[in-house]
C-alpha cells in the first residue's frame, strides 16, 4: 500500500493506456531523490505487476516495462560480529533481561533466524547430543543445527514454563 501511494504520487496522473517507459524513468528519477535504489526497484516491481494485470485484463495492448532494467543497487559487504563482540552483546542484554540474553545467545551461536528462535520448542532441543532440529525454516526444509557449549549454557539457564512447549515463552500466553 505504501509503494502504491508513492507510485500514485509520481505517475498517478498518467492513464494506464498512456503509460510509457519514460514515465517509469521519471518515477525512478524523482523517487530516488527520497529513498534507496532498492526501494525504487520495489516500486518498479509493483508497477510491472500492475501493468501485467492491465495487459491480462485487456486494458492495454502492450506492456511498456517488458525487459525494463532495475536500478543498479550498491551492495555492501556484510559485516559480521566477532565472537567477542557477540558474547559482549549477550552479556549486556542479559543484564536487562536474562531470557532475552539467552535468546540472543542462541540466535548468535546457532545462526538462527528470529522466527526460528521464537518458534523453537523444547521437543526440538537435544541438549545431551548438543543440537536442535528445525522443522519450519525459510526454505521449508528441515535442518539440524549443532549447539556450542555457550549456547547450551544459556539454554540451561531458562526456566521451562508449565503448559508451554516453547523454549522462549511469554508469561500469560500459550507461546
Amino acid at each position: 500500500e505504501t509503494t502504491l501511494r508513492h507510485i500514485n504520487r509520481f505517475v498517478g496522473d498518467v492513464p494506464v493506456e498512456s503509460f510509457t517507459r519514460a514515465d517509469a524513468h521519471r518515477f525512478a528519477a524523482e523517487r530516488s531523490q527520497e529513498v534507496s535504489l532498492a526501494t525504487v526497484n520495489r516500486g518498479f516491481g509493483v508497477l510491472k505487476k500492475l501493468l501485467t494485470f492491465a495487459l491480462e485484463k485487456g486494458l492495454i495492448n502492450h506492456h511498456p516495462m517488458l525487459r525494463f532494467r532495475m536500478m543498479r543497487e550498491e551492495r555492501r559487504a556484510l559485516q559480521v560480529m566477532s565472537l567477542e563482540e557477540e558474547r559482549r552483546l549477550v552479556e549486556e542484554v542479559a543484564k536487562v533481561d536474562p531470557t532475552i540474553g539467552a535468546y540472543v545467545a542462541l540466535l548468535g551461536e546457532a545462526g538462527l533466524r528470529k522466527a526460528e528462535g521464537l518458534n523453537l520448542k523444547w521437543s526440538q532441543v537435544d541438549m545431551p547430543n548438543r543440537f536442535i532440529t528445525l522443522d519450519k525454516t525459510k526454505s521449508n526444509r528441515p535442518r539440524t543445527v549443532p549447539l556450542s557449549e555457550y549456547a547450551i549454557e544459556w539454554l540451561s539457564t531458562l526456566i521451562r514454563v508449565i503448559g508451554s512447549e516453547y523454549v522462549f515463552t511469554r508469561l500469560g500466553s500459550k507461546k
Side-chain angles (χ1 to χ4, degrees):
E1 289 178 30
T2 302
T3 302
L4 284 173
R5 276 196 299 275
H6 293 293
I7 290 170
N8 191 40
R9 192 173 92 214
F10 292 113
V11 293
D13 58 331
V14 179
V16 68
E17 64 275 1
S18 302
F19 189 88
T20 65
R21 293 171 84 83
D23 295 312
H25 285 293
R26 183 171 55 89
F27 167 76
E30 294 178 20
R31 187 75 172 123
S32 64
Q33 298 299 311
E34 304 173 346
V35 295
S36 71
L37 297 180
T39 303
V40 174
N41 284 339
R42 279 198 297 280
F44 281 157
V46 172
L47 267 172
K48 284 182 176 183
K49 292 272 188 198
L50 290 171
L51 291 166
T52 299
F53 178 79
L55 185 67
E56 290 172 352
K57 294 296 180 185
L59 301 172
I60 57 176
N61 295 324
H62 71 285
H63 197 306
M65 290 188 71
L66 280 179
R67 293 187 301 275
F68 191 86
R69 291 184 188 232
M70 300 293 227
M71 306 287 288
R72 184 174 289 265
E73 299 174 29
E74 181 181 326
R75 295 186 184 222
R76 295 184 180 159
L78 180 64
Q79 189 171 3
V80 180
M81 280 189 215
S82 69
L83 184 61
E84 293 77 26
E85 290 171 326
E86 178 225 332
R87 294 196 174 169
R88 236 184 0 253
L89 173 65
V90 170
E91 297 299 328
E92 291 300 316
V93 170
K95 289 178 186 176
V96 177
D97 186 324
T99 302
I100 297 175
Y103 174 74
V104 171
L106 183 63
L107 264 60
E109 292 289 309
L112 302 183
R113 292 180 175 89
K114 180 173 71 170
E116 291 171 338
L118 291 174
N119 294 320
L120 186 65
K121 297 177 182 176
W122 284 110
S123 61
Q124 297 171 278
V125 179
D126 185 343
M127 296 258 250
N129 294 311
R130 299 170 50 140
F131 69 86
I132 56 176
T133 304
L134 301 170
D135 300 323
K136 295 181 181 179
T137 63
K138 184 177 177 181
S139 65
N140 291 321
R141 292 187 183 128
R143 65 183 174 119
T144 301
V145 179
L147 295 173
S148 67
E149 190 60 40
Y150 189 72
I152 295 285
E153 287 174 24
W154 276 101
L155 279 171
S156 299
T157 68
L158 295 173
I159 298 170
R160 290 182 77 159
V161 176
I162 296 172
S164 175
E165 60 188 333
Y166 293 95
V167 174
F168 299 100
T169 303
R170 283 177 257 137
L171 294 177
S173 74
K174 294 186 179 188
K175 188 170 179 184

